[in-house]
Amino acid sequence: MSEAVSNHSGVLHLGKVFADALRMRDAYTRLHSDRVMALSNGIGLDIGLTRRELDALELGACLHDIGKIVVPDAVLMKPSKLSEDEFAIMQVHPSVGANLIEVYEHEDAKRIADIVRYHHEWFDGSGYPGHLVGVAIPLLSRIVTVVDNYDAMAVRRVYQGARPHAEIMQIMDSESGTKLDPDIFGHFKRVIEKPEYQSFIATGE
């Protein structure tokens, strides 16, 4: 095993440890991270990312919600719509997660941190924390954003029911070009229909 592969595997294992720690507070988060990793990788392969980019994407997808570790339970697991103040608290999690990753001694720490920091940016600039627009949002973040949005609607949460695949795709199609990068969404539509990703198709249950 090469040193690069060994290093990536070690960091990924550490990332899953952190995800498991967060799962002890929110059971949804670890499974969510695993699904986002798998589908993000599928998009990355469909686009033709390099091995190094795919490795960074895998780590960023694994850790994209790690900043939620600082979000109070009353906000993280609230069974109803967040208030304005509560949403402001939730909005800190991408920056917190990115700041944790940036100090890690890894050759792609900045790239991985950027995935985490910007995965709630919207293509039209109305996301957070930086209000970035279009391709100013890092490519790998735009990939995670698309998959994150699909999975968030695919499973039952304390504050919403699960939606079926056709309904989710209709919603995402309406958000293409505003919330979502339309090119990345096009890749997602191809990937989610591939046989190897059929287990990720939302059933609405």
Side-chain angles (χ1 to χ4, degrees):
M1 181 182 294
S2 70
E3 183 178 349
V5 171
S6 178
N7 183 46
H8 175 74
S9 298
V11 177
L12 182 60
H13 176 73
L14 182 60
K16 289 182 175 180
V17 169
F18 284 134
D20 274 335
L22 186 55
R23 180 174 59 83
M24 295 178 73
R25 295 180 61 213
D26 178 12
Y28 161 81
T29 300
R30 170 61 193 275
L31 292 176
H32 171 65
S33 293
D34 287 347
R35 291 188 295 263
V36 172
M37 272 198 303
L39 286 168
S40 294
N41 184 69
I43 294 174
L45 291 170
D46 198 59
I47 290 173
L49 297 183
T50 65
R51 180 72 261 166
R52 183 171 177 179
E53 288 171 326
L54 287 168
D55 285 348
L57 179 60
E58 183 175 37
L59 289 168
C62 175
L63 294 166
H64 74 281
D65 275 338
I66 195 61
K68 286 182 177 178
I69 203 162
V70 303
V71 177
D73 286 351
V75 174
L76 185 63
M77 292 176 279
K78 185 178 179 180
S80 57
K81 185 177 179 179
L82 298 180
S83 69
E84 187 174 327
D85 288 343
E86 290 167 337
F87 186 58
I89 292 170
M90 182 65 80
Q91 284 181 310
V92 307
H93 84 267
S95 296
V96 169
N99 291 340
L100 288 170
I101 293 164
E102 276 186 329
V103 299
Y104 194 81
E105 292 185 6
H106 185 282
E107 60 183 356
D108 273 337
K110 176 65 165 59
R111 179 181 289 181
I112 297 162
D114 280 350
I115 296 171
V116 175
R117 189 182 305 279
Y118 300 123
H119 77 277
H120 279 291
E121 297 289 353
W122 287 18
F123 201 68
D124 66 358
S126 61
Y128 63 90
H131 304 290
L132 303 183
V133 179
V135 296
I137 306 167
L139 171 62
L140 304 187
S141 294
R142 283 179 271 143
I143 292 172
V144 171
T145 297
V146 168
V147 181
D148 187 37
N149 275 269
Y150 180 86
D151 196 71
M153 291 186 280
V155 297
R156 185 178 301 278
R157 301 299 309 277
V158 292
Y159 52 82
Q160 70 177 27
R163 292 184 168 102
H165 177 72
E167 181 182 346
I168 296 172
M169 296 304 288
Q170 186 176 27
I171 292 169
M172 293 178 73
D173 190 63
S174 72
E175 296 173 337
S176 179
T178 53
K179 188 174 187 178
L180 309 174
D181 179 331
D183 182 56
I184 300 300
F185 180 54
H187 286 281
F188 176 79
K189 287 193 287 187
R190 285 196 294 276
V191 168
I192 196 67
E193 297 296 337
K194 292 182 177 182
E196 59 266 41
Y197 298 105
Q198 289 303 290
S199 64
F200 298 104
I201 293 283
T203 63
E205 297 178 355

